[in-house]
Amino acid sequence: MSEEHTSDTSTPSPAEMLAITERQQQRAERALDINPGLLFGVWGAAWVLGFGELYLTIGDDPVLLVPLWQALGIFFGCLGVAGFITVWHLANSLRGLRGPAQKSGAMHGWSWTLGFVALGALIAATSRMGISEEVYAMLWASGSGLLVGVLYLSGGALTGSWTQYGVGLWILAINAAGAFTGIPNHYLVMSLAGGGGFLVAGTVLTLRARAKPSPSHERLPGEPE
């Protein structure tokens, strides 16, 4: 009698094992996506400020008289801060994970930094061919939009998030359309439509996360403490 009782309490049933597996998967998904609204908000602020500043300082009749190198420095600073926060956030979200999920998330996080480093190197090499300042500026604006759009597409595919995937499609669409408006109008499109789109998505996700009931942490039968 006692042996049967010990076996029943120490060995979970198949249904309990399935519930434990599903609970662990949900925990892994939450760890991978702690606060997506934060990332959308960070990139939204960076684009609104960075591209907005370029629109006001670059062109035939700029609103603010700022040297080109200084204007680009502010723009790159905004993107750099957003990229650093993105890598830091993804790294923190992966601390409690092991195995393929950790590896995939880390690779995706580093792709942001490596992508912008490669983009900078390619544009620097292109500038040595004697291109005009307007073409140089367009390469940075459209190249950054293309890279961020593709990275959000891959992030949405990695996490199964239609929100991220949809934002990636939106960025690619407005980036392509804005490029036909030329400089500095392309900056205005990227600032308002691009940065504004990020901020709207971030706000929606943050409100949705707050309205969602917190998951129960009750231990299932057979689940280790």
Side-chain angles (χ1 to χ4, degrees), residues 117-135:
V117 170
L119 176 64
L122 289 172
I123 294 178
T126 305
S127 66
R128 299 176 60 187
M129 300 178 181
I131 61 177
S132 65
E133 289 187 357
E134 186 174 2
V135 173

mmCIF file with all atom_site columns, all heavy atoms in Angstrom, residues 117-135:
data_model
loop_
_atom_site.group_PDB
_atom_site.id
_atom_site.type_symbol
_atom_site.label_atom_id
_atom_site.label_alt_id
_atom_site.label_comp_id
_atom_site.label_asym_id
_atom_site.label_entity_id
_atom_site.label_seq_id
_atom_site.pdbx_PDB_ins_code
_atom_site.Cartn_x
_atom_site.Cartn_y
_atom_site.Cartn_z
_atom_site.occupancy
_atom_site.B_iso_or_equiv
_atom_site.pdbx_formal_charge
_atom_site.auth_seq_id
_atom_site.auth_comp_id
_atom_site.auth_asym_id
_atom_site.auth_atom_id
_atom_site.pdbx_PDB_model_num
ATOM 1   N N   . VAL A 1 117 ? 27.303 47.580 -38.201 1.00 0.00 ? 117 VAL A N   1
ATOM 2   C CA  . VAL A 1 117 ? 28.740 47.703 -38.477 1.00 0.00 ? 117 VAL A CA  1
ATOM 3   C C   . VAL A 1 117 ? 29.019 47.434 -39.950 1.00 0.00 ? 117 VAL A C   1
ATOM 4   O O   . VAL A 1 117 ? 29.775 48.164 -40.605 1.00 0.00 ? 117 VAL A O   1
ATOM 5   C CB  . VAL A 1 117 ? 29.540 46.736 -37.581 1.00 0.00 ? 117 VAL A CB  1
ATOM 6   C CG1 . VAL A 1 117 ? 30.997 46.668 -38.038 1.00 0.00 ? 117 VAL A CG1 1
ATOM 7   C CG2 . VAL A 1 117 ? 29.476 47.184 -36.128 1.00 0.00 ? 117 VAL A CG2 1
ATOM 8   N N   . ALA A 1 118 ? 28.396 46.377 -40.495 1.00 0.00 ? 118 ALA A N   1
ATOM 9   C CA  . ALA A 1 118 ? 28.590 46.055 -41.910 1.00 0.00 ? 118 ALA A CA  1
ATOM 10  C C   . ALA A 1 118 ? 28.016 47.151 -42.803 1.00 0.00 ? 118 ALA A C   1
ATOM 11  O O   . ALA A 1 118 ? 28.627 47.509 -43.823 1.00 0.00 ? 118 ALA A O   1
ATOM 12  C CB  . ALA A 1 118 ? 27.927 44.711 -42.228 1.00 0.00 ? 118 ALA A CB  1
ATOM 13  N N   . LEU A 1 119 ? 26.865 47.694 -42.430 1.00 0.00 ? 119 LEU A N   1
ATOM 14  C CA  . LEU A 1 119 ? 26.268 48.777 -43.216 1.00 0.00 ? 119 LEU A CA  1
ATOM 15  C C   . LEU A 1 119 ? 27.188 49.992 -43.249 1.00 0.00 ? 119 LEU A C   1
ATOM 16  O O   . LEU A 1 119 ? 27.393 50.594 -44.305 1.00 0.00 ? 119 LEU A O   1
ATOM 17  C CB  . LEU A 1 119 ? 24.908 49.168 -42.623 1.00 0.00 ? 119 LEU A CB  1
ATOM 18  C CG  . LEU A 1 119 ? 24.198 50.348 -43.290 1.00 0.00 ? 119 LEU A CG  1
ATOM 19  C CD1 . LEU A 1 119 ? 23.828 50.013 -44.733 1.00 0.00 ? 119 LEU A CD1 1
ATOM 20  C CD2 . LEU A 1 119 ? 22.937 50.733 -42.489 1.00 0.00 ? 119 LEU A CD2 1
ATOM 21  N N   . GLY A 1 120 ? 27.748 50.345 -42.105 1.00 0.00 ? 120 GLY A N   1
ATOM 22  C CA  . GLY A 1 120 ? 28.663 51.480 -42.057 1.00 0.00 ? 120 GLY A CA  1
ATOM 23  C C   . GLY A 1 120 ? 29.892 51.260 -42.920 1.00 0.00 ? 120 GLY A C   1
ATOM 24  O O   . GLY A 1 120 ? 30.355 52.183 -43.607 1.00 0.00 ? 120 GLY A O   1
ATOM 25  N N   . ALA A 1 121 ? 30.426 50.042 -42.903 1.00 0.00 ? 121 ALA A N   1
ATOM 26  C CA  . ALA A 1 121 ? 31.604 49.744 -43.711 1.00 0.00 ? 121 ALA A CA  1
ATOM 27  C C   . ALA A 1 121 ? 31.296 49.831 -45.204 1.00 0.00 ? 121 ALA A C   1
ATOM 28  O O   . ALA A 1 121 ? 32.083 50.375 -45.991 1.00 0.00 ? 121 ALA A O   1
ATOM 29  C CB  . ALA A 1 121 ? 32.131 48.352 -43.361 1.00 0.00 ? 121 ALA A CB  1
ATOM 30  N N   . LEU A 1 122 ? 30.133 49.330 -45.613 1.00 0.00 ? 122 LEU A N   1
ATOM 31  C CA  . LEU A 1 122 ? 29.761 49.366 -47.027 1.00 0.00 ? 122 LEU A CA  1
ATOM 32  C C   . LEU A 1 122 ? 29.560 50.801 -47.520 1.00 0.00 ? 122 LEU A C   1
ATOM 33  O O   . LEU A 1 122 ? 30.011 51.162 -48.620 1.00 0.00 ? 122 LEU A O   1
ATOM 34  C CB  . LEU A 1 122 ? 28.483 48.552 -47.245 1.00 0.00 ? 122 LEU A CB  1
ATOM 35  C CG  . LEU A 1 122 ? 28.611 47.028 -47.122 1.00 0.00 ? 122 LEU A CG  1
ATOM 36  C CD1 . LEU A 1 122 ? 27.240 46.383 -47.166 1.00 0.00 ? 122 LEU A CD1 1
ATOM 37  C CD2 . LEU A 1 122 ? 29.499 46.480 -48.226 1.00 0.00 ? 122 LEU A CD2 1
ATOM 38  N N   . ILE A 1 123 ? 28.905 51.612 -46.709 1.00 0.00 ? 123 ILE A N   1
ATOM 39  C CA  . ILE A 1 123 ? 28.665 53.002 -47.123 1.00 0.00 ? 123 ILE A CA  1
ATOM 40  C C   . ILE A 1 123 ? 29.969 53.789 -47.119 1.00 0.00 ? 123 ILE A C   1
ATOM 41  O O   . ILE A 1 123 ? 30.192 54.640 -47.990 1.00 0.00 ? 123 ILE A O   1
ATOM 42  C CB  . ILE A 1 123 ? 27.614 53.653 -46.209 1.00 0.00 ? 123 ILE A CB  1
ATOM 43  C CG1 . ILE A 1 123 ? 26.263 52.952 -46.407 1.00 0.00 ? 123 ILE A CG1 1
ATOM 44  C CG2 . ILE A 1 123 ? 27.481 55.144 -46.509 1.00 0.00 ? 123 ILE A CG2 1
ATOM 45  C CD1 . ILE A 1 123 ? 25.154 53.478 -45.525 1.00 0.00 ? 123 ILE A CD1 1
ATOM 46  N N   . ALA A 1 124 ? 30.842 53.505 -46.160 1.00 0.00 ? 124 ALA A N   1
ATOM 47  C CA  . ALA A 1 124 ? 32.150 54.172 -46.143 1.00 0.00 ? 124 ALA A CA  1
ATOM 48  C C   . ALA A 1 124 ? 32.948 53.824 -47.389 1.00 0.00 ? 124 ALA A C   1
ATOM 49  O O   . ALA A 1 124 ? 33.605 54.694 -47.985 1.00 0.00 ? 124 ALA A O   1
ATOM 50  C CB  . ALA A 1 124 ? 32.920 53.771 -44.887 1.00 0.00 ? 124 ALA A CB  1
ATOM 51  N N   . ALA A 1 125 ? 32.875 52.565 -47.811 1.00 0.00 ? 125 ALA A N   1
ATOM 52  C CA  . ALA A 1 125 ? 33.583 52.157 -49.031 1.00 0.00 ? 125 ALA A CA  1
ATOM 53  C C   . ALA A 1 125 ? 32.971 52.820 -50.260 1.00 0.00 ? 125 ALA A C   1
ATOM 54  O O   . ALA A 1 125 ? 33.682 53.236 -51.180 1.00 0.00 ? 125 ALA A O   1
ATOM 55  C CB  . ALA A 1 125 ? 33.533 50.639 -49.174 1.00 0.00 ? 125 ALA A CB  1
ATOM 56  N N   . THR A 1 126 ? 31.640 52.946 -50.277 1.00 0.00 ? 126 THR A N   1
ATOM 57  C CA  . THR A 1 126 ? 30.968 53.581 -51.402 1.00 0.00 ? 126 THR A CA  1
ATOM 58  C C   . THR A 1 126 ? 31.295 55.064 -51.499 1.00 0.00 ? 126 THR A C   1
ATOM 59  O O   . THR A 1 126 ? 31.426 55.619 -52.596 1.00 0.00 ? 126 THR A O   1
ATOM 60  C CB  . THR A 1 126 ? 29.444 53.401 -51.274 1.00 0.00 ? 126 THR A CB  1
ATOM 61  O OG1 . THR A 1 126 ? 29.133 52.004 -51.146 1.00 0.00 ? 126 THR A OG1 1
ATOM 62  C CG2 . THR A 1 126 ? 28.720 53.957 -52.489 1.00 0.00 ? 126 THR A CG2 1
ATOM 63  N N   . SER A 1 127 ? 31.442 55.719 -50.351 1.00 0.00 ? 127 SER A N   1
ATOM 64  C CA  . SER A 1 127 ? 31.738 57.158 -50.356 1.00 0.00 ? 127 SER A CA  1
ATOM 65  C C   . SER A 1 127 ? 33.091 57.473 -50.985 1.00 0.00 ? 127 SER A C   1
ATOM 66  O O   . SER A 1 127 ? 33.312 58.590 -51.455 1.00 0.00 ? 127 SER A O   1
ATOM 67  C CB  . SER A 1 127 ? 31.690 57.697 -48.926 1.00 0.00 ? 127 SER A CB  1
ATOM 68  O OG  . SER A 1 127 ? 32.735 57.139 -48.139 1.00 0.00 ? 127 SER A OG  1
ATOM 69  N N   . ARG A 1 128 ? 33.975 56.513 -51.026 1.00 0.00 ? 128 ARG A N   1
ATOM 70  C CA  . ARG A 1 128 ? 35.302 56.730 -51.638 1.00 0.00 ? 128 ARG A CA  1
ATOM 71  C C   . ARG A 1 128 ? 35.222 56.819 -53.156 1.00 0.00 ? 128 ARG A C   1
ATOM 72  O O   . ARG A 1 128 ? 36.186 57.188 -53.811 1.00 0.00 ? 128 ARG A O   1
ATOM 73  C CB  . ARG A 1 128 ? 36.240 55.585 -51.241 1.00 0.00 ? 128 ARG A CB  1
ATOM 74  C CG  . ARG A 1 128 ? 36.456 55.478 -49.729 1.00 0.00 ? 128 ARG A CG  1
ATOM 75  C CD  . ARG A 1 128 ? 37.298 54.282 -49.368 1.00 0.00 ? 128 ARG A CD  1
ATOM 76  N NE  . ARG A 1 128 ? 38.613 54.353 -49.995 1.00 0.00 ? 128 ARG A NE  1
ATOM 77  C CZ  . ARG A 1 128 ? 39.505 53.362 -49.952 1.00 0.00 ? 128 ARG A CZ  1
ATOM 78  N NH1 . ARG A 1 128 ? 39.209 52.224 -49.338 1.00 0.00 ? 128 ARG A NH1 1
ATOM 79  N NH2 . ARG A 1 128 ? 40.679 53.504 -50.544 1.00 0.00 ? 128 ARG A NH2 1
ATOM 80  N N   . MET A 1 129 ? 34.069 56.498 -53.722 1.00 0.00 ? 129 MET A N   1
ATOM 81  C CA  . MET A 1 129 ? 33.907 56.557 -55.173 1.00 0.00 ? 129 MET A CA  1
ATOM 82  C C   . MET A 1 129 ? 33.503 57.936 -55.660 1.00 0.00 ? 129 MET A C   1
ATOM 83  O O   . MET A 1 129 ? 33.233 58.130 -56.845 1.00 0.00 ? 129 MET A O   1
ATOM 84  C CB  . MET A 1 129 ? 32.852 55.524 -55.628 1.00 0.00 ? 129 MET A CB  1
ATOM 85  C CG  . MET A 1 129 ? 33.194 54.103 -55.278 1.00 0.00 ? 129 MET A CG  1
ATOM 86  S SD  . MET A 1 129 ? 31.885 52.938 -55.777 1.00 0.00 ? 129 MET A SD  1
ATOM 87  C CE  . MET A 1 129 ? 32.578 51.393 -55.195 1.00 0.00 ? 129 MET A CE  1
ATOM 88  N N   . GLY A 1 130 ? 33.416 58.883 -54.735 1.00 0.00 ? 130 GLY A N   1
ATOM 89  C CA  . GLY A 1 130 ? 33.109 60.243 -55.137 1.00 0.00 ? 130 GLY A CA  1
ATOM 90  C C   . GLY A 1 130 ? 31.638 60.541 -55.290 1.00 0.00 ? 130 GLY A C   1
ATOM 91  O O   . GLY A 1 130 ? 31.245 61.348 -56.125 1.00 0.00 ? 130 GLY A O   1
ATOM 92  N N   . ILE A 1 131 ? 30.779 59.902 -54.485 1.00 0.00 ? 131 ILE A N   1
ATOM 93  C CA  . ILE A 1 131 ? 29.347 60.154 -54.572 1.00 0.00 ? 131 ILE A CA  1
ATOM 94  C C   . ILE A 1 131 ? 29.022 61.493 -53.911 1.00 0.00 ? 131 ILE A C   1
ATOM 95  O O   . ILE A 1 131 ? 29.768 61.998 -53.079 1.00 0.00 ? 131 ILE A O   1
ATOM 96  C CB  . ILE A 1 131 ? 28.542 59.025 -53.894 1.00 0.00 ? 131 ILE A CB  1
ATOM 97  C CG1 . ILE A 1 131 ? 28.906 58.930 -52.400 1.00 0.00 ? 131 ILE A CG1 1
ATOM 98  C CG2 . ILE A 1 131 ? 28.781 57.709 -54.593 1.00 0.00 ? 131 ILE A CG2 1
ATOM 99  C CD1 . ILE A 1 131 ? 28.100 57.897 -51.641 1.00 0.00 ? 131 ILE A CD1 1
ATOM 100 N N   . SER A 1 132 ? 27.895 62.069 -54.277 1.00 0.00 ? 132 SER A N   1
ATOM 101 C CA  . SER A 1 132 ? 27.488 63.360 -53.722 1.00 0.00 ? 132 SER A CA  1
ATOM 102 C C   . SER A 1 132 ? 26.998 63.192 -52.288 1.00 0.00 ? 132 SER A C   1
ATOM 103 O O   . SER A 1 132 ? 26.698 62.085 -51.834 1.00 0.00 ? 132 SER A O   1
ATOM 104 C CB  . SER A 1 132 ? 26.369 63.966 -54.578 1.00 0.00 ? 132 SER A CB  1
ATOM 105 O OG  . SER A 1 132 ? 25.200 63.165 -54.509 1.00 0.00 ? 132 SER A OG  1
ATOM 106 N N   . GLU A 1 133 ? 26.903 64.332 -51.592 1.00 0.00 ? 133 GLU A N   1
ATOM 107 C CA  . GLU A 1 133 ? 26.423 64.293 -50.208 1.00 0.00 ? 133 GLU A CA  1
ATOM 108 C C   . GLU A 1 133 ? 24.981 63.807 -50.128 1.00 0.00 ? 133 GLU A C   1
ATOM 109 O O   . GLU A 1 133 ? 24.600 63.127 -49.185 1.00 0.00 ? 133 GLU A O   1
ATOM 110 C CB  . GLU A 1 133 ? 26.540 65.686 -49.577 1.00 0.00 ? 133 GLU A CB  1
ATOM 111 C CG  . GLU A 1 133 ? 27.971 66.109 -49.290 1.00 0.00 ? 133 GLU A CG  1
ATOM 112 C CD  . GLU A 1 133 ? 28.023 67.413 -48.515 1.00 0.00 ? 133 GLU A CD  1
ATOM 113 O OE1 . GLU A 1 133 ? 26.944 67.991 -48.260 1.00 0.00 ? 133 GLU A OE1 1
ATOM 114 O OE2 . GLU A 1 133 ? 29.134 67.847 -48.158 1.00 0.00 ? 133 GLU A OE2 1
ATOM 115 N N   . GLU A 1 134 ? 24.175 64.149 -51.127 1.00 0.00 ? 134 GLU A N   1
ATOM 116 C CA  . GLU A 1 134 ? 22.781 63.724 -51.118 1.00 0.00 ? 134 GLU A CA  1
ATOM 117 C C   . GLU A 1 134 ? 22.660 62.212 -51.263 1.00 0.00 ? 134 GLU A C   1
ATOM 118 O O   . GLU A 1 134 ? 21.858 61.575 -50.578 1.00 0.00 ? 134 GLU A O   1
ATOM 119 C CB  . GLU A 1 134 ? 22.006 64.419 -52.234 1.00 0.00 ? 134 GLU A CB  1
ATOM 120 C CG  . GLU A 1 134 ? 20.509 64.125 -52.201 1.00 0.00 ? 134 GLU A CG  1
ATOM 121 C CD  . GLU A 1 134 ? 19.735 64.937 -53.215 1.00 0.00 ? 134 GLU A CD  1
ATOM 122 O OE1 . GLU A 1 134 ? 20.355 65.708 -53.969 1.00 0.00 ? 134 GLU A OE1 1
ATOM 123 O OE2 . GLU A 1 134 ? 18.501 64.812 -53.255 1.00 0.00 ? 134 GLU A OE2 1
ATOM 124 N N   . VAL A 1 135 ? 23.469 61.642 -52.158 1.00 0.00 ? 135 VAL A N   1
ATOM 125 C CA  . VAL A 1 135 ? 23.464 60.185 -52.316 1.00 0.00 ? 135 VAL A CA  1
ATOM 126 C C   . VAL A 1 135 ? 23.981 59.512 -51.049 1.00 0.00 ? 135 VAL A C   1
ATOM 127 O O   . VAL A 1 135 ? 23.442 58.490 -50.594 1.00 0.00 ? 135 VAL A O   1
ATOM 128 C CB  . VAL A 1 135 ? 24.313 59.771 -53.535 1.00 0.00 ? 135 VAL A CB  1
ATOM 129 C CG1 . VAL A 1 135 ? 24.444 58.249 -53.607 1.00 0.00 ? 135 VAL A CG1 1
ATOM 130 C CG2 . VAL A 1 135 ? 23.704 60.309 -54.815 1.00 0.00 ? 135 VAL A CG2 1
#
